[in-house]
Every structure is written in C-alpha cells, then in structure tokens.
C-alpha cells in the first residue's frame, strides 16, 4: 500500500515498511538524545508572546471543549501571568502547522500525531491525563451497528470501513496495520475506506448506519455516551486493542524557557475538583495530569509507524 497525505508543507508517506529510525526535522537539534527538540541556546530565538495560545486535539467538535478547558486555561493564566486563548483547531494538520509557524504555544496532540508534531513542529510533550491511580491510556475499538452482519474483522471484507485521519493512531495507523498484517485486508482492494475526519464523526456515522464499521478511540465513545450524544445500544464492539498512550500535552520548543517551566507547573498544580474538566474527562476515567516522556511513552507508536513504513518529510 502506498498512500500520501499532504499536511500543508508536511508530507506523511505510508510506503513499503522501511523501519527507519525516528528523526527530527533539520530545523531542530537533539543534543541530549531524548528524541525531542532542544530549547534554543540563542535567546533571540525564544518566543515570549503577550498571549499564550492553547489548542486541544480535534478528536471531537472544538466548540464542545472551549468551555470544558476554560478553568484550566484560567489556572494557566494565573501561573504564567499571561492571558491564555483557546484555539479551536479543526484538524491535526491545522494544529501542527500552527505550532510549526509559531502561532500555537501550548497544545495537546493526539496519540498518532504526536510523532509528527515532535518531528516537524518542535513539540515538546511532558504531560498526559491519567486516572486517580496513575494508570493511563485508551483502547482502539472497531465498531459496527446492530444487525450489520459483522461479527469479526474478517467480515469487513466487501464493506465500508471508516477511519478518522491518516495521522491518527487508533483512527487509522493501528487498525490499518492490524487489518493488513493479521487478516490480509487492504483498503480499496478488500474493503472500501472512508475518512470521517474525527472520532465523533466515525462513531455517529456507524450509529446512523452511514458506515458499516469504524476504528475509533474508546475514550471518545465513552464521553459521547456519557453526554447522551449516542446510546450504547446503537453500537456493537467486535475488536478491542491493547492499551495505547492518550493525548500528550506540551509546548513548542522555542517558547521562553521560564514560560515552559510555568506551563508545566500549571498542568501539574491544576485542581480538577468540581470543574468542567472533571465533569467531562471523568467520563473516560481521567482525573489528573501526570509527567511523561516522548521517548518512553510513545515507543509503541513509533514502532507502529516503523512497521507501516511511515516517514515524516518536514519541508
């Protein structure tokens, strides 16, 4: 399979598996070997914006999350001493390009787009949502609707299968690797692929029977069920993966070092109790931010990318 997706100036190529090592764009240096861009030593390259801009990964309608995130953004403003603006991005491409261009300073990038954001936009992830006991992650599910006739992955043959976007781990990369490697099913040859653009679109598409099946993140499904956007009996789950890391939060590499420290402080000092953050994200089990590293926690995602022959050409 060869598929090319152009994200403005960023190309993601899915080709014959090459198992190439993960590498940063030539714009960045990684002298400490932690796989993320170093903070520039030249102070003239540091960003010190009057207003910090924050974006949450567009897994669902951004309008839903502007209010959800407001208590946290107010807290970040108090800690950093700067106003914080929510940027309602509509796609992973827009989010990555905004950070790459210096217009986005703090962000949560979804699981699959983290490596692209790190390699091409200078993203420095340091936090992830976790449950009260410190455990974290979500599972990729493949879903259908009752009465579809699909009871296992082999039944996808000849049907329409929805993915979210080519940068998504659970919405495209992991299921594509699974279908091809374990079941010999390839898009266009064995089934008709569709791209919905987001997990909530895929879930609603299956619930409304627009798609026969879809690969989705179960954290999104659980939150949608908790908000009564969909009912559990509208879907049937016939595959569940192992656990993957969830959205990674961090800053752009050249944000002023003092600001990077204060942003991290804001994440780890935020009190979720009684906030809209607690109300929304408790639906998928999250209750706190914990420290993570891209090198360790995204190892499995980089392995999936390598197995699929993903190469990030940042130009």
């Amino acid at each position: 399979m060869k598929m090319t997706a152009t994200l403005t100036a960023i190309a993601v190529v899915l080709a014959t598996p090459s198992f190439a090592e993960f590498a940063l764009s030539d714009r960045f240096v990684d002298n400490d070997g932690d796989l993320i861009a170093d903070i520039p030593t030249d102070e003239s390259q540091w960003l010190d914006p009057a207003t910090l801009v924050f974006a949450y990964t567009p897994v669902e309608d951004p309008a839903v999350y502007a209010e959800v995130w407001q208590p946290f953004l107010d807290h970040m403003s108090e800690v950093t001493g700067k106003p914080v603006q929510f940027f309602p991005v509509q796609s992973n491409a827009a989010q990555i390009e905004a950070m790459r261009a210096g217009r986005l300073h703090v962000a949560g990038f979804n699981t699959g787009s983290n490596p692209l954001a790190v390699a091409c936009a200078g993203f420095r992830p340091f936090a992830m949502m976790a449950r009260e006991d410190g455990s974290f992650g979500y599972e990729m599910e493949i879903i259908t609707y009752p009465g579809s006739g699909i009871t296992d992955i082999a039944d996808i043959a000849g049907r329409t299968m929805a993915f979210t976007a080519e940068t998504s781990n659970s919405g495209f990369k992991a299921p594509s690797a699974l279908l091809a490697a374990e079941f010999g099913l390839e898009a266009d040859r064995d089934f008709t692929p569709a791209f919905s653009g987001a997990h909530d679109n895929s879930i609603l598409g299956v619930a409304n029977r627009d798609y026969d099946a879809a690969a989705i993140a179960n954290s999104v499904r659980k939150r949608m069920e908790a908000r009564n956007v969909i009912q559990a009996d509208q879907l049937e789950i016939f595959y569940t993966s192992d656990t993957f890391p969830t959205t990674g939060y961090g800053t752009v590499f050249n944000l002023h070092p003092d600001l990077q420290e204060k942003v991290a402080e804001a994440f780890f000092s935020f009190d979720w109790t009684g906030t809209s953050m607690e109300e929304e994200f408790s639906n998928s089990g999250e209750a706190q931010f914990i420290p993570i590293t891209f090198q360790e926690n995204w190892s499995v995602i980089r392995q999936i990318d390598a197995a699929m022959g993903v190469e990030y050409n940042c130009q």
Side-chain angles (χ1 to χ4, degrees):
M1 175 183 67
K2 183 168 184 179
M3 187 174 300
T4 302
T6 301
L7 304 182
T8 36
I10 304 168
V12 182
V13 182
L14 308 182
T16 304
S18 60
F19 298 95
E21 291 186 8
F22 177 83
L24 298 178
S25 164
D26 292 341
R27 294 176 59 206
F28 312 121
V29 296
D30 177 23
N31 291 325
D32 56 7
D34 62 358
L35 301 185
I36 61 175
D38 294 343
I39 299 172
T41 55
D42 183 353
E43 296 184 15
S44 68
Q45 297 179 23
W46 294 350
L47 291 177
D48 189 7
T51 298
L52 287 170
V53 178
F54 170 85
Y56 176 55
T57 182
V59 293
E60 298 171 69
D61 181 0
V64 172
Y65 285 94
E67 280 189 37
V68 168
W69 279 95
Q70 195 57 53
F72 174 77
L73 301 187
D74 290 343
H75 176 68
M76 188 191 300
S77 181
E78 289 179 9
V79 174
T80 62
K82 291 181 179 285
V84 182
Q85 176 183 339
F86 184 86
F87 177 29
V89 291
Q90 299 291 332
S91 69
N92 296 131
Q95 187 180 22
I96 291 170
E97 188 58 27
M99 179 165 282
R100 191 167 181 260
R103 299 190 304 270
L104 176 61
H105 313 118
V106 186
F109 282 97
N110 71 6
T111 304
S113 67
N114 248 265
L116 180 59
V118 169
C120 296
F123 180 51
R124 290 171 54 88
F126 59 77
M128 186 191 306
M129 288 185 184
R131 303 175 188 91
E132 287 187 2
D133 63 4
S135 63
F136 59 83
Y138 72 98
E139 290 74 45
M140 180 267 289
E141 294 176 344
I142 305 182
I143 60 173
T144 188
Y145 54 82
S148 69
I150 297 176
T151 59
D152 57 38
I153 289 179
D155 294 332
I156 294 172
R159 310 296 290 269
T160 298
M161 169 84 172
F163 300 105
T164 58
E166 291 165 347
T167 53
S168 174
N169 177 64
S170 57
F172 178 68
K173 295 179 184 179
S176 294
L178 170 75
L179 266 61
E182 295 192 27
F183 296 91
L185 296 175
E186 293 189 10
D188 293 319
R189 187 191 72 184
D190 302 303
F191 63 91
T192 301
F195 286 88
S196 71
H199 290 271
D200 58 342
N201 292 341
S202 287
I203 293 166
L204 287 169
V206 170
N208 293 324
R209 308 193 175 196
D210 297 324
Y211 309 127
D212 297 314
I216 55 101
N218 63 358
S219 55
V220 179
R221 175 185 57 77
K222 291 174 183 177
R223 293 197 296 269
M224 291 176 70
E225 289 177 357
R227 293 200 305 269
N228 293 315
V229 176
I230 58 163
Q231 304 302 313
D233 61 7
Q234 291 180 273
L235 306 173
E236 289 185 350
I237 302 161
F238 61 93
Y239 180 86
T240 302
S241 74
D242 292 335
T243 300
F244 294 114
T246 187
T247 299
Y249 299 89
T251 62
V252 66
F253 81 110
N254 58 344
L255 190 66
H256 194 293
D258 292 345
L259 273 176
Q260 292 197 41
E261 289 184 12
K262 290 178 180 178
V263 168
E265 178 187 340
F267 274 89
F268 300 130
S269 63
F270 178 64
D271 183 0
W272 293 52
T273 307
T275 67
S276 50
M277 291 281 286
E278 180 184 48
E279 180 181 1
E280 173 67 14
F281 290 105
S282 64
N283 293 325
S284 49
E286 286 95 355
Q288 61 174 323
F289 290 108
I290 62 169
I292 55 93
T293 68
F294 176 74
Q295 186 169 27
E296 177 182 354
N297 296 105
W298 259 259
S299 174
V300 63
I301 307 304
R302 295 194 303 275
Q303 290 171 18
I304 290 172
D305 282 355
M308 293 187 68
V310 171
E311 296 178 1
Y312 297 125
N313 300 314
C314 314
Q315 300 175 2

